[in-house]
Each structure stands twice: as structure tokens, then as C-alpha cells.
């Protein structure tokens, strides 16, 4: 199996990173959506947010790694049958997905650290606050986090719909390239 991308397809590292990010984003969204209605006496009242923050920090590291990996192994070439507007809209959507992921993660971090406390990542290590105590920051960051996550999930759904359109209607290799690693030497 090819670790790096080729002009014809993605390597296994890009594929695994893509799907880990997708699962983490959707899982964090679902957990966040569910946990806002927990009562103080619910056993998940503290555990849910702790998991949410920990996975969010690990996702941040994965997305940084993924962006760095893209510098060393460029994306495959566009499929020749794709129309110019499809190629441009896919590039714009990918760029906006990255922006929204970072806005969601940074705003989530600011919510959790606005009181000056650090974030414990599964008890493995601590991520300190860089802001110290800033009154009202958690409210502003919370609003940004709310809307950016909804926009992120909406755009991810559109992204998935586009991939399914290419697979079932256009019957091209777009989706298959993100499911099966490119062939070649490692």
C-alpha cells in the first residue's frame, strides 16, 4: 500500500487522517448536541464535556498533522471529467472546512480556558490557558463555537453529498480515491 499520495490517488495516511477527522467532527458534534441538555445531577454532566474537550484537543493535533502532511504529499490531480466549477467549488469547500474546523476548535478551547484553567486531555497531559481570565470570553466563544460547528456539519454534509453524487450519478473515481489507497511503491 502506498503511504503517500500519487497524481492518481490518495495514500493510506491521507485516507486514514480524512476519516478520523470526519468521525471525530461528527462524534464531537453529536456529543456536544447531547450534552448541553444534561442536568447537574446527570452522571455524564462532567464526563461528557471532559471527553469532548479531550477529543477536541487531539483533533486539533491531527488536523495540524494533516495540513503538514499535505505540504509533503500534494493532493491527487483532479479527475479529467470534472467540470471547472466542480474543481473550484471542491477546493473552496475543502478550504472552508479547514477554516471552520479551526474556528470551532479554537472557540471551544477559549470556552474551556476563559476562566484561566487548563484542559486535561484524558489525564495524559494539560493544555494551559493562553488568555488567563477574561470576563465574558466564554459567552462570545460559545456563540462562535455554536454557529461554526453547525456550519461545519452542514458543509460536511454537502461535501458528502458531492462525493455520493460523483460515485452514484457520475460514476467516477472521486469517492473510491478516498476509500482505496493509491497503488505504488512506499
Amino acid at each position: 500500500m502506498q503511504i503517500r499520495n500519487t497524481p492518481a490517488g490518495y495514500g493510506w495516511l491521507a485516507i486514514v487522517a480524512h476519516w478520523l477527522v470526519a468521525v471525530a467532527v461528527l462524534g464531537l458534534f453529536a456529543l456536544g448536541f447531547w450534552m448541553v441538555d444534561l442536568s447537574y445531577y446527570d452522571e455524564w454532566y462532567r464526563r461528557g464535556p471532559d471527553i469532548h474537550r479531550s477529543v477536541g484537543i487531539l483533533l486539533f493535533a491531527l488536523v495540524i498533522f494533516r495540513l503538514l502532511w499535505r505540504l509533503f504529499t500534494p493532493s491527487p490531480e483532479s479527475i479529467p471529467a470534472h467540470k471547472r466549477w466542480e474543481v473550484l467549488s471542491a477546493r473552496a469547500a475543502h478550504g472552508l472546512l479547514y477554516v471552520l474546523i479551526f474556528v470551532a476548535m479554537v472557540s471551544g478551547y477559549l470556552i474551556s480556558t476563559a476562566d484561566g484553567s487548563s484542559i486535561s486531555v484524558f489525564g495524559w497531559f494539560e493544555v494551559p490557558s493562553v488568555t488567563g481570565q477574561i470576563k465574558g470570553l466564554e459567552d462570545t466563544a460559545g456563540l462562535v463555537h455554536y454557529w461554526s460547528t453547525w456550519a461545519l456539519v452542514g458543509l460536511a454534509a454537502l461535501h458528502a453529498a458531492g462525493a455520493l453524487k460523483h460515485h452514484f450519478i457520475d460514476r467516477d473515481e472521486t469517492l473510491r480515491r478516498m476509500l482505496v489507497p493509491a497503488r505504488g511503491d512506499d
Side-chain angles (χ1 to χ4, degrees), residues 14-55:
I15 292 171
V16 169
H18 172 271
W19 291 108
L20 281 174
V21 169
V23 167
V25 165
L26 294 176
L28 285 169
F29 183 81
L31 179 58
F33 190 77
W34 173 73
M35 72 185 188
V36 295
D37 289 330
L38 295 175
S39 72
Y40 181 79
Y41 298 104
D42 193 299
E43 70 176 274
W44 282 91
Y45 182 77
R46 296 220 191 303
R47 188 179 314 163
D50 286 344
I51 292 169
H52 189 84
R53 286 187 289 264
S54 293
V55 172

Side-chain angles (χ1 to χ4, degrees), residues 137-185:
L137 177 61
E138 67 276 3
D139 295 330
T140 302
L143 193 60
V144 170
H145 191 68
Y146 178 84
W147 289 110
S148 65
T149 55
W150 275 102
L152 175 59
V153 169
L155 186 56
L158 185 62
H159 175 66
L164 292 172
K165 175 248 186 210
H166 281 287
H167 189 73
F168 291 110
I169 295 173
D170 299 343
R171 298 192 186 282
D172 64 30
E173 294 295 311
T174 302
L175 180 59
R176 250 184 306 277
R177 291 196 317 179
M178 192 45 75
L179 294 172
V180 179
R183 296 196 184 272
D185 297 327

Side-chain angles (χ1 to χ4, degrees), residues 25-143:
V25 165
L26 294 176
L28 285 169
F29 183 81
L31 179 58
F33 190 77
W34 173 73
M35 72 185 188
V36 295
D37 289 330
L38 295 175
S39 72
Y40 181 79
Y41 298 104
D42 193 299
E43 70 176 274
W44 282 91
Y45 182 77
R46 296 220 191 303
R47 188 179 314 163
D50 286 344
I51 292 169
H52 189 84
R53 286 187 289 264
S54 293
V55 172
I57 294 291
L58 295 176
L59 176 61
F60 183 81
L62 176 60
V63 173
I64 294 291
F65 171 79
R66 190 169 177 210
L67 284 172
L68 290 172
W69 182 251
R70 285 182 66 140
L71 293 175
F72 297 105
T73 179
S75 296
E77 296 170 359
S78 298
I79 293 174
H82 287 177
K83 297 171 183 67
R84 180 165 168 72
W85 71 267
E86 289 175 315
V87 172
L88 293 175
S89 62
R91 286 185 186 146
H94 283 108
L96 188 53
L97 282 167
Y98 277 110
V99 168
L100 288 169
I101 286 172
F102 278 112
V103 169
M105 289 186 295
V106 169
S107 60
Y109 167 81
L110 292 174
I111 293 167
S112 298
T113 61
D115 64 355
S117 62
S118 60
I119 297 173
S120 173
V121 179
F122 294 117
W124 301 335
F125 60 91
E126 300 272 326
V127 178
S129 172
V130 296
T131 61
Q133 292 183 340
I134 299 179
K135 188 174 176 105
L137 177 61
E138 67 276 3
D139 295 330
T140 302
L143 193 60

